[in-house]
Amino acid sequence: MKARMFMQRHRKAIAGYMFILPWLLGFMAFTAYPMLYSLYMSFCKVYVTTTGIVTQWIGWSNYGYAFFTDPQFLQTVAGFLESSILEIPVIIVFSLFVALLINQPIRLKGFFRAVFFLPVVISSGEVINQLFSQGAGTIPLVQQYGIVSFVQANLNPALSTPIVAVIQQLVLVLWYSGVQILIFLAGLQKVNSQTYEAASIDGASPWQSFWKITLPEVKPFILVNLIYTIVNLFTNSLNTVVILIKQDMFDVTTGYGYASALSWLYFVVIFVILMLMVLLFGRNEEYGMRRAR
Amino acid sequence: MRQTATDMLWKVGAKGRRVLLGRQGNDGLLFRAVVYALLISIGFVYLYPMLYMLSQSMKSLSDLLNPGVIWIPTSIDLKNFIMSWQVLHYPTALLESLYVSLPPAIAQAISTALVGYGFARFEFPGKRALFILMLFTFIIPVQVVFIPLFVMFNNYSLLGTPLPFLLPSLFASGLKSSLFILIYAQFFRSIPDSLEEAAQIDGAGYLKTFVRIVFPISVPAIVVVLLFSFVWQWNETYMSSLYFGNTLTTLPLQLQAFANSFALLYPATQSVSGANNLNEAIQMAGTLLTILPLLILYFVAQRWFVEVVDRAGITGE
């Protein structure tokens, strides 16, 4: 009996491995191997010849070049980080706000949900490029009421430049919130409605119940959304750093090796930022990343 | 007498106040009005670029230059659509877009379902670590793996075919695969396992149980993954521009080259009418044509979409 049960369990474990086998193979061929290869390339000068790729080991030179010689890389990364520091909170707060609105007992819930999710479907790099180069990205109202000049007049440039940048591409920032709204919505729907009733019987105002009930319940989803937002902003094809890396890839003086070094540096930047977020927002007993049982 | 009158007035006032502000603070008329006002105005901001595109794309040149015409064109001008149809080489580009997007999407929807099921229903040594590794791949920027993949596909002369996207998708490693595996895993966990147990008692193997029992009742999750996968594949230009070279094209790639193709097809003339000059309206028409298939798909599929979100939550837990 015992032996049979052991066999049964064994059989089940093997079946489990068989189910995830495609991913294991894919991970090795399309993620692990390319990662190692690009790490190796980042220490090389890579020549593309008619017979194939020729690599020549040059140690840390690519990384040294990125830090000390390349006029663009550090500046582009810094500029991008500066703008995203403001964009990320805007996206998080906005998506929580919209999720709270949709979660109210309203009519046409499905319609509103469809509207707020629409950008996820159409917002590819090229379409966004077209729309926004034609001026569809800013709302005329924002310009008319002079919010931009007000901000510029009242804050010092270091602070006002990123704020103005966010205002000027407000629609774009909001368009990046579609998935986040859904994630928050899923979180809000899991809050027990009886908790709110009990709180209101005890005389809590909606404002109080938001801070005391909703926000703590939604907190794990804030981390999930932060991670999603950061990955999304950092890897989308309109990102200036991403564009720079692609340029360097086909530049004769820099080439594959240098582009690999840049992408690894960029990966480290993303990783460090994500770890910071996990440390800052995931310290509770119920850490945000879904438990992987 | 007077007492009761004020009493009644007080009661009416209280009732009015209750209707206006509500009992719990979120069911009063005033609150509802604010919610709707906010939803409608934010919704407008959201749809603004779309509405703008729609309106611009139908404007004739004179409408475009006339500051009096803001939203509604004086006449519906379909010339822009005809021109951009030709500039985009629409029928070819549409077919090739489908050719390079649909097979990977289907492959990905199937392979990630298998993997998601493996993570959701089975216990095996190292599962937790593998699951975390799988989630971890989500944060790896594509640039880190892109160059070696490009070299690899070039060595096997797969460039210019849809295989550079299809192969990773078959092995659950295509675009954003870890997100799809996660969605499936959460969805499968939400299904009671009694059905599967019953099937196994009847002697069905694990794979058979999955194909016959689990897959058919997972239609909403499959639709959502298929939709996402297809859309993201469709919109991909970063890798596809290099993978496909000149052999294959997609609508977004055609849109990228819009200005150049336009100049080739309609050489600029010195004529005063400016009929052959690329204007905003033509570009917006081209953009609209590019996303039109996605819009249609979205409106068809979005009802499943809501169901999946309600049932499993895109993140679960």
Side-chain angles (χ1 to χ4, degrees):
Chain A
M1 193 63 192
K2 232 177 190 174
R4 229 186 86 196
M5 264 175 66
F6 178 77
M7 279 297 288
Q8 192 70 23
R9 226 179 30 229
H10 223 61
R11 202 171 85 94
K12 209 168 174 191
I14 291 170
Y17 282 123
M18 293 314 283
F19 272 103
I20 67 159
L21 188 65
W23 173 75
L24 269 178
L25 294 175
F27 175 76
M28 284 186 238
F30 301 112
T31 307
Y33 160 73
M35 274 179 90
L36 289 176
Y37 192 22
S38 86
L39 188 62
Y40 168 73
M41 276 210 257
S42 73
F43 292 102
C44 294
K45 177 85 192 154
V46 181
Y47 300 96
V48 184
T49 64
T50 44
T51 49
I53 298 286
V54 179
T55 54
Q56 178 197 340
W57 185 266
I58 52 169
W60 291 94
S61 314
N62 282 330
Y63 291 94
Y65 186 80
F67 277 106
F68 303 115
T69 321
D70 190 340
Q72 280 188 311
F73 180 67
L74 286 182
Q75 210 182 346
T76 315
V77 171
F80 172 67
L81 286 181
E82 200 182 5
S83 67
S84 52
I85 281 172
L86 213 70
E87 282 173 12
I88 292 166
V90 169
I91 290 174
I92 298 292
V93 171
F94 174 78
S95 51
L96 179 57
F97 183 67
V98 171
L100 283 169
L101 284 178
I102 299 183
N103 199 39
Q104 297 297 328
I106 50 164
R107 281 157 203 277
L108 296 174
K109 201 177 245 194
F111 168 77
F112 282 115
R113 217 181 325 198
V115 167
F116 289 117
F117 202 71
L118 185 61
V120 178
V121 178
I122 56 163
S123 64
S124 67
E126 199 37 46
V127 171
I128 286 182
N129 250 346
Q130 287 287 337
L131 282 176
F132 289 75
S133 65
Q134 306 294 345
T138 43
I139 304 157
L141 282 177
V142 176
Q143 313 281 349
Q144 275 161 25
Y145 286 114
I147 298 174
V148 170
S149 45
F150 175 81
V151 171
Q152 274 167 338
N154 288 292
L155 292 170
N156 69 336
L159 213 61
S160 70
T161 318
I163 293 178
V164 168
V166 167
I167 292 174
Q168 275 173 344
Q169 39 179 338
L170 188 68
V171 179
L172 185 60
V173 174
L174 300 191
W175 269 24
Y176 284 143
S177 314
V179 172
Q180 289 85 329
I181 292 174
L182 275 191
I183 292 175
F184 275 137
L185 207 54
L188 287 172
Q189 279 166 354
K190 293 204 167 68
V191 184
N192 194 340
S193 64
Q194 284 173 346
T195 323
Y196 288 112
E197 277 162 32
S200 92
I201 287 165
D202 287 347
S205 70
W207 182 248
Q208 282 171 317
S209 4
F210 171 75
W211 289 103
K212 294 272 163 66
I213 304 169
T214 313
L215 208 58
E217 288 278 347
V218 152
K219 206 184 161 203
F221 293 91
I222 295 180
L223 180 64
V224 172
N225 269 339
L226 273 171
I227 293 173
Y228 186 85
T229 308
I230 291 169
V231 170
N232 201 28
L233 278 181
F234 277 57
T235 56
N236 84 67
S237 63
L238 289 181
N239 181 315
T240 43
V241 184
V242 167
I243 293 169
L244 181 72
I245 292 175
K246 197 177 184 177
Q247 278 168 5
D248 281 329
M249 183 177 163
F250 292 102
D251 195 316
V252 188
T253 52
T254 49
Y256 289 6
Y258 184 59
S260 299
L262 289 192
S263 40
W264 270 93
L265 283 174
Y266 190 50
F267 182 34
V268 170
V269 170
I270 298 176
F271 187 73
V272 167
I273 292 172
L274 286 176
M275 283 303 110
L276 265 173
M277 292 299 145
V278 172
L279 279 179
L280 279 174
F281 291 90
R283 236 181 329 180
N284 281 12
E285 64 282 7
E286 194 184 0
Y287 51 52
M289 287 298 278
R290 329 90 186 145
R291 281 155 290 167
R293 262 176 303 173
Chain B
M1 201 52 186
R2 184 173 262 195
Q3 187 72 32
T4 48
T6 45
D7 225 36
M8 256 172 67
L9 210 67
W10 175 246
K11 260 185 192 156
V12 169
K15 203 178 171 193
R17 190 169 166 265
R18 206 159 64 209
V19 171
L20 209 59
L21 297 175
R23 231 166 307 182
Q24 285 176 24
N26 73 344
D27 49 1
L29 267 181
L30 197 67
F31 185 83
R32 288 283 186 81
V34 171
V35 167
Y36 281 112
L38 281 170
L39 275 174
I40 290 167
S41 42
I42 297 173
F44 175 73
V45 172
Y46 248 69
L47 292 182
Y48 177 82
M50 304 286 297
L51 299 172
Y52 179 87
M53 174 173 63
L54 191 68
S55 144
Q56 288 300 86
S57 65
M58 286 192 271
K59 282 181 182 170
S60 62
L61 194 61
S62 63
D63 277 355
L64 212 54
L65 298 172
N66 182 353
V69 180
I70 299 173
W71 281 107
I72 301 167
T74 47
S75 63
I76 289 179
D77 191 353
L78 292 179
K79 214 180 99 218
N80 298 323
F81 286 98
I82 297 167
M83 280 173 113
S84 47
W85 177 284
Q86 286 162 346
V87 172
L88 289 171
H89 300 285
Y90 201 74
T92 323
L94 179 70
L95 278 179
E96 292 193 356
S97 280
L98 285 173
Y99 174 57
V100 299
S101 311
L102 200 56
I106 294 171
Q108 200 171 23
I110 295 171
S111 64
T112 52
L114 285 169
V115 178
Y117 189 67
F119 278 121
R121 277 288 192 263
F122 297 92
E123 290 305 326
F124 45 86
K127 176 175 143 176
R128 207 187 141 81
L130 286 172
F131 194 76
I132 290 171
L133 190 65
M134 189 275 295
L135 289 180
F136 181 75
T137 57
F138 183 67
I139 67 164
I140 299 172
V142 80
Q143 287 70 33
V144 170
V145 292
F146 176 64
I147 296 172
L149 284 178
F150 182 69
V151 172
M152 184 164 93
F153 291 130
N154 189 22
N155 286 345
Y156 292 107
S157 24
L158 299 177
L159 296 183
T161 72
L163 284 171
F165 287 115
L166 185 58
L167 283 178
S169 299
L170 277 174
F171 291 97
S173 304
L175 296 175
K176 306 207 185 194
S177 276
S178 40
L179 193 63
F180 299 137
I181 295 174
L182 185 68
I183 291 175
Y184 272 126
Q186 299 292 2
F187 187 88
F188 292 143
R189 278 182 198 141
S190 79
I191 304 174
D193 53 7
S194 49
L195 272 176
E196 292 150 76
E197 276 165 13
Q200 271 147 27
I201 288 166
D202 287 350
Y206 291 112
L207 189 63
K208 201 171 168 187
T209 313
F210 177 72
V211 174
R212 293 273 171 82
I213 311 283
V214 181
F215 217 61
I217 56 172
S218 306
V219 170
I222 298 165
V223 169
V224 167
V225 170
L226 207 56
L227 177 79
F228 269 117
S229 174
F230 178 72
V231 162
W232 281 331
Q233 194 71 59
W234 178 285
N235 284 333
E236 216 290 322
T237 51
Y238 187 83
M239 289 184 280
S240 47
S241 62
L242 292 177
Y243 281 164
F244 297 151
N246 296 324
T247 358
L248 283 170
T249 189
T250 64
L251 278 172
L253 287 177
Q254 287 293 96
L255 189 64
Q256 218 164 36
F258 197 84
N260 289 334
S261 334
F262 187 89
L264 272 178
L265 209 57
Y266 297 98
T269 49
Q270 298 296 315
S271 69
V272 193
S273 69
N276 268 6
N277 291 340
L278 179 56
N279 63 42
E280 204 179 323
I282 300 171
Q283 252 175 334
M284 286 293 100
T287 312
L288 189 60
L289 282 177
T290 306
I291 58 173
L292 192 64
L294 299 181
L295 287 178
I296 295 170
L297 187 72
Y298 179 62
F299 285 112
V300 173
Q302 59 101 3
R303 125 187 117 79
W304 279 290
F305 190 73
V306 172
E307 193 186 329
V308 161
V309 176
D310 283 346
R311 263 179 71 177
I314 197 164
T315 49
E317 214 56 39

